[in-house]
Amino acid sequence: MKTKTTLRGAMLTTSAILISAGAALAEDYTRFGIKEDVPGACSFASIDAKDYSGRTLNIITHAIPVIGEPTALHAQQFQELTGATVNVVHVPFGDLFQRIMIPFQTGQQAYDVLFFASLWLGDFNAYLAEVPQAYQEVSGMQSVTPTYKGVASWNGKMLNYTMDGDRHYLKFRSDVFDNPEMQALFKEKTGRDLTVPATWEEYNEVAAVFNNMDWDGDGAPNFGTAEVTKRDDLMFSAFISRVAPYAKHPDVKGGFFFDLETMEPLVNTPGWVRGLELFVAAQASMPPGGTSFGLGDEIFSFGGGQTLMSYSWDDAFIQAMQADSPIRNKVAAAPLPGAREVWNRTTGQWDTFETPNTAPYVTWGWSSAVAAGSQNQDMAFDYLCFFSNEANTLADLQIGRFGVNPYREAHFDPAFYQTELGWDANVATTYTDTLKAIDGGQNQVFDLRVPGVGEFMSSLAAGVARAQSGEASAQEALDGVAAEWKAIVDRIGVDRVREAYANVVALEDN
Amino acid sequence: MYRQKYIFLLPGLLVLVAIILFPLLFTIRVSFSSWDVYNPGLNWIGGENYARLWEDARYWEALIRLTFLTVATVTLQYTLGFALALLVWRDIAARRFFRVLFLVPMMTTPVVMSVIWRTIFHESLGPLNPILEAIGIDAQPWLSDAGFALAAVMIVEVWQWTPFMFLLLLAGLLSLPNEPFLAARIDGAGPIRTFLSVTLPMMGAISVGAILIRLIEASKLMETVYVLTSGGPGTATETTSYYIYIRGMRDFQIGYSASLSLTYLIVMSVALTLIAKALIRLMVKDRT
């Protein structure tokens, strides 16, 4: 069976390449907004050679623009090339999970192709079709980095079709950090040199020094840090970024969120509490309203030049580097700050690190998949393969609002950002170096991809919000979260959560 | 003899069962199941969801908060709505213009207006704080302080729904007979005495109706909270509907959220029945 599949895959790939090579000579696909077609099984030429006339493909995706806009754009192109009828349903993020899950649970075949947050794989895996070997062997998929192939896999099977790569990293105003006056001011106030924060304590210190002062000289006050702090608006990711280096000990394996053996929640252990205390302390260096910033606010605050530093996904950085941005080429990227003290749950003590411990956080990321019950799996995988072909992806990466971020080796080449987007060499280099460091980094942390992840993260965000608002201390808030997590695990079943969580731990401990 | 009448009633009854009773009965059944993200379907777990609900402090806190928000906003809406209705009841300049103007907030979409208000309240980028500072008042943490966030939700609710009160109360005022007012004038009653002794009592029935309709609507407060504060900071603005939404749609605990909804339905039905009786006794006692 496997031989048959592999043979079929090889034939598919070979024939597609031959067809595309021939067709590419005849057709000019730049009318679709790409620079040039890149030959391969998923290229414009290969897809153009297929005929899906009379067939219908149903797609559910996020609202426009993030992911929703490229979904619709490539659906339109796919329709034009193949003759298929492609229906795209756009759903606001708050409704996306249940709009996908309810048809799954009730046995309806509502959609062939699904776009969703990659961390929901723990919930959806039973309903998804494995990506056929032939598609795993196409050039575009071959160049996906191991980190994002891992994110797309479940129990050794590739269930998500990778079309995005996300991670958290630090962004800062390089013009301020390089300014001798600002360096002198910082030295005067703290007694040390101004450097890119290597720990979250340093981050908070830098943010405090440059908070509420007009360091860009535009007459309006600037602030130290913009962070995603609004509950139910992906705040949990920001919080985990701050916690990770204190709680993810490089020498302690077997779980970051839970102890994999006992399935006891670790969210109220000292490393987590330290991270929350620093998260709460940073509120003093946020802009007015910064304690209720959603992701959009964070993007506009840093991207608009209001704040000195920020950390989250690519969006704020891309916003800052837009052609009309007042701070274009005045920013730089770096890996997330680390920690000099790391909680060792094996010994029950804090371990000291001379070089700060870092824990790159590979969080979120949009993903796509084909429903296991779809009657159009061939067409559905062709659509996804077309969506993420090299030519489309290079075009999509240049449009910030699309939400498609680097996930292939080729995307980490600074020359691309310099030539295609006009970034300064320093900006492009810090950006790609940062992405590479995260992608190939040790001690990585991944999202909690287990059944009920929404419930776990909702509980975590509610607890963190209590501490942020002063309703509870950091320890009290996280004790409450731990109690809720225990109850959730009991309801789901310890073994079921452990089995799922083992997939996450395997990624982290490899 | 008149058995045919049941045949004629049947279509209506079937529609009634389909659109009202079936969803309610289904919700009751779901509330006794553990339907969630990892356990789909209608298994039977008895009263587990209700026992869990009883210990869910966040749910009860949200209910208390909602009670406060509902009573406070509806009281303000009634007071302001009545004042505006009185203002344009009699002949004043541009009366028709004002009547339409006062209705504009009610005609806008709640979600869209909440987005607009969120921008207005935005502490860094919104226009409200600069306006306050221009007139010598300090900028306020509209969405990041518990008290102010609650006030912000109330402001939006009052802004949006006062026109509804205005509309009903103005209709009531326009339907009042002239004779009692003439009699009051002949007896020498001033405007305040006339309002307290004539207008207000005669407006009792319509006031009760307007207040009850708004209480029912306000008790479902959800969109404004969702857009404006997401229930924060902390849980400071979390209402029952928003909490049920989180449990049901975000956490996908369908069974548990069904039990929350039903409990909420029972609590609100009992509360509103008692409130209705009290209001009728208080405001239309002479007519009962």
Side-chain angles (χ1 to χ4, degrees):
Chain A
M1 181 70 184
K2 186 163 185 176
T3 313
K4 204 173 166 184
T5 310
T6 312
L7 187 64
R8 195 172 55 199
M11 286 171 66
L12 171 75
T13 309
T14 312
S15 59
I17 290 169
L18 289 173
I19 291 166
S20 66
L25 293 172
E27 279 280 0
D28 175 14
Y29 295 103
T30 54
R31 70 180 191 276
F32 289 104
I34 57 169
K35 193 175 179 186
E36 60 180 353
D37 194 18
V38 179
C42 306
S43 66
F44 278 75
S46 296
I47 296 301
D48 197 6
K50 305 208 174 193
D51 182 7
Y52 289 128
S53 304
R55 294 178 66 184
T56 302
L57 189 69
N58 291 311
I59 301 173
I60 184 167
T61 187
H62 186 232
I64 287 173
V66 177
I67 298 302
E69 193 169 344
T71 305
L73 171 68
H74 300 316
Q76 176 65 35
Q77 295 167 342
F78 188 80
Q79 189 164 276
E80 197 174 320
L81 291 170
T82 66
T85 300
V86 186
N87 300 320
V88 179
V89 174
H90 295 275
V91 179
F93 185 73
D95 286 339
L96 189 57
F97 182 89
Q98 53 107 1
R99 287 286 296 272
I100 294 175
M101 195 57 162
I102 288 176
F104 277 159
Q105 290 193 339
T106 53
Q108 302 168 40
Q109 298 308 325
Y111 307 106
D112 302 296
V113 176
L114 321 137
F115 287 86
F116 54 88
S118 64
L119 76 167
W120 294 343
L121 187 58
D123 295 306
F124 293 162
N125 63 82
Y127 306 102
L128 303 180
E130 183 177 3
V131 178
Q133 195 60 34
Y135 292 92
Q136 293 189 38
E137 288 171 2
V138 300
S139 58
M141 191 63 85
Q142 286 293 308
S143 63
V144 171
T145 69
T147 294
Y148 294 105
K149 279 184 183 166
V151 168
S153 300
W154 188 262
N155 284 335
K157 290 181 179 177
M158 189 172 199
L159 298 181
N160 282 355
Y161 204 105
T162 310
M163 36 61 69
D164 179 35
D166 273 353
R167 75 293 285 167
H168 267 196
Y169 60 89
L170 172 67
K171 303 125 199 175
F172 60 94
R173 288 289 295 272
S174 55
D175 59 330
V176 176
F177 276 74
D178 294 339
N179 183 335
E181 280 181 36
M182 297 299 151
Q183 291 169 349
L185 174 77
F186 186 77
K187 181 108 182 177
E188 182 190 326
K189 290 197 173 181
T190 66
R192 70 177 183 88
D193 289 334
L194 177 61
T195 53
V196 177
T199 66
W200 285 108
E201 284 89 348
E202 289 181 14
Y203 182 96
N204 280 9
E205 184 181 47
V206 173
V209 168
F210 292 103
N211 188 52
N212 204 15
M213 62 180 281
D214 181 18
W215 36 253
D216 62 3
D218 68 352
N222 297 101
F223 301 90
T225 175
E227 308 181 30
V228 180
T229 50
K230 189 177 181 185
R231 205 191 77 190
D232 300 334
D233 200 347
L234 302 177
M235 174 258 267
F236 71 84
S237 279
F239 170 60
I240 292 169
S241 279
R242 277 186 167 269
V243 163
Y246 298 94
K248 181 76 167 64
H249 197 296
D251 300 327
V252 178
K253 307 295 182 189
F256 170 70
F257 295 98
F258 291 95
D259 181 328
L260 187 62
E261 273 185 31
T262 63
M263 287 310 290
E264 278 293 308
L266 300 173
V267 285
N268 58 343
T269 52
W272 283 77
V273 175
R274 176 77 61 87
L276 181 50
E277 285 168 349
L278 288 166
F279 195 26
V280 172
Q283 291 184 121
S285 305
M286 293 175 184
T291 53
S292 60
F293 268 12
L295 180 61
D297 299 310
E298 182 256 354
I299 292 168
F300 284 111
S301 181
F302 179 80
Q306 186 186 36
T307 42
L308 180 70
M309 296 181 295
S310 180
Y311 62 93
S312 69
W313 297 273
D314 288 85
D315 314 80
F317 196 80
I318 302 299
Q319 171 83 14
M321 290 301 296
Q322 297 277 10
D324 56 351
S325 166
I327 59 169
R328 183 172 163 85
N329 289 318
K330 293 179 180 175
V331 295
L336 288 174
R340 290 188 198 281
E341 282 194 316
V342 184
W343 179 251
N344 186 329
R345 65 181 164 84
T346 308
T347 62
Q349 290 182 328
W350 289 98
D351 288 346
T352 305
F353 286 66
E354 197 168 319
T355 303
N357 174 50
T358 55
Y361 183 28
V362 181
T363 178
W364 201 252
W366 286 96
S367 199
S368 59
V370 173
S374 165
Q375 301 299 307
N376 298 298
Q377 290 193 13
D378 55 340
M379 185 166 48
F381 278 115
D382 269 344
Y383 167 76
L384 289 178
C385 146
F386 171 72
F387 179 111
S388 59
N389 73 29
E390 288 92 331
N392 274 334
T393 307
L394 287 180
D396 293 347
L397 280 174
Q398 299 178 45
I399 304 171
R401 67 177 185 277
F402 276 17
V404 176
N405 298 313
Y407 60 93
R408 288 187 177 126
E409 306 283 0
H411 301 164
F412 300 154
D413 176 9
F416 168 72
Y417 301 94
Q418 288 175 252
T419 54
E420 301 300 329
L421 300 177
W423 292 9
D424 280 358
N426 179 53
V427 179
T429 305
T430 66
Y431 177 65
T432 54
D433 283 354
T434 298
L435 301 194
K436 275 188 272 191
I438 296 165
D439 198 74
Q442 300 295 306
N443 206 30
Q444 288 174 317
V445 169
F446 291 83
D447 285 318
L448 178 66
R449 300 188 307 159
V450 298
V453 60
E455 198 179 343
F456 283 111
M457 292 302 114
S458 175
S459 163
L460 181 65
V464 172
R466 289 184 66 219
Q468 284 178 315
S469 67
E471 287 176 25
S473 70
Q475 185 69 63
E476 287 167 350
L478 293 178
D479 283 346
V481 174
E484 286 188 11
W485 279 27
K486 274 185 191 175
I488 299 168
V489 170
D490 286 343
R491 275 207 313 282
I492 301 171
V494 172
D495 291 337
R496 198 183 311 199
V497 181
R498 182 188 286 114
E499 187 187 346
Y501 187 49
N503 277 282
V504 182
V505 175
L507 287 175
E508 291 175 348
D509 289 353
N510 66 6
Chain B
M1 187 176 173
Y2 295 107
R3 215 172 280 167
Q4 299 95 315
K5 70 181 180 186
Y6 295 112
I7 296 170
F8 288 107
L9 284 174
L10 193 62
L13 285 172
L14 285 176
V15 170
L16 189 71
V17 168
I19 64 172
I20 297 179
L21 280 183
F22 175 74
L24 185 63
L25 293 173
F26 185 70
T27 306
I28 293 171
R29 175 63 189 92
V30 171
S31 76
F32 289 99
S33 77
S34 65
W35 189 342
D36 57 22
V37 70
Y38 34 83
N39 192 10
L42 294 173
N43 60 342
W44 179 263
I45 59 165
E48 273 183 36
N49 284 331
Y50 290 93
R52 180 179 162 203
L53 174 161
W54 190 248
E55 295 173 355
D56 190 343
R58 201 165 141 193
Y59 175 69
W60 297 110
E61 284 168 13
L63 193 59
I64 292 166
R65 194 174 297 115
L66 176 73
T67 306
F68 165 72
L69 277 169
T70 303
V71 171
T73 55
V74 172
T75 304
L76 283 167
Q77 287 162 17
Y78 178 72
T79 309
L80 290 171
F82 212 152
L84 292 173
L86 286 170
L87 193 69
V88 296
W89 177 29
R90 301 297 184 193
D91 287 333
I92 60 163
R95 183 178 58 179
R96 286 189 179 176
F97 168 76
F98 283 115
R99 284 181 184 177
V100 174
L101 181 72
F102 292 155
L103 291 177
V104 167
M106 192 180 71
M107 293 188 282
T108 58
T109 311
V111 171
V112 173
M113 286 321 298
S114 296
V115 172
I116 301 289
W117 275 102
R118 187 180 64 186
T119 309
I120 291 170
F121 285 128
H122 199 291
E123 292 156 43
S124 295
L125 311 170
L128 184 56
N129 274 343
I131 291 170
L132 290 178
E133 284 174 328
I135 57 174
I137 300 172
D138 287 343
Q140 302 299 332
W142 289 106
L143 301 176
S144 53
D145 174 86
F148 278 98
L150 209 58
V153 171
M154 288 173 64
I155 288 170
V156 177
E157 276 294 292
V158 169
W159 177 84
Q160 178 114 46
W161 293 113
T162 295
F164 179 82
M165 285 288 193
F166 163 77
L167 188 67
L168 288 193
L169 295 171
L170 180 63
L173 286 170
L174 291 172
S175 68
L176 294 181
N178 266 331
E179 292 77 7
F181 294 96
L182 285 172
R185 199 179 301 165
I186 291 164
D187 288 347
I192 295 174
R193 183 63 189 266
T194 304
F195 175 75
L196 292 174
S197 302
V198 180
T199 315
L200 197 57
M202 287 202 297
M203 288 291 288
I206 197 153
S207 293
V208 170
I211 290 170
L212 281 178
I213 291 170
R214 275 307 305 147
L215 282 175
I216 292 168
E217 285 300 311
S219 67
K220 293 184 284 190
L221 179 60
M222 156 78 195
E223 300 99 329
T224 309
V225 172
Y226 176 86
V227 175
L228 208 60
T229 63
S230 294
T235 53
T237 55
E238 197 167 83
T239 59
T240 316
S241 302
Y242 185 65
Y243 181 65
I244 293 171
Y245 164 78
I246 288 174
R247 288 299 187 217
M249 299 294 103
R250 290 272 175 89
D251 299 356
F252 209 74
Q253 297 182 54
I254 306 294
Y256 184 53
S257 63
S259 69
L260 293 173
S261 301
L262 281 172
T263 309
Y264 174 61
L265 177 68
I266 292 165
V267 169
M268 293 315 297
S269 301
V270 171
L272 287 169
T273 304
L274 294 175
I275 290 169
K277 281 192 172 182
L279 284 175
I280 289 168
R281 193 171 296 162
L282 187 73
M283 300 181 81
V284 287
K285 56 188 172 186
D286 293 343
R287 297 176 182 211
T288 55

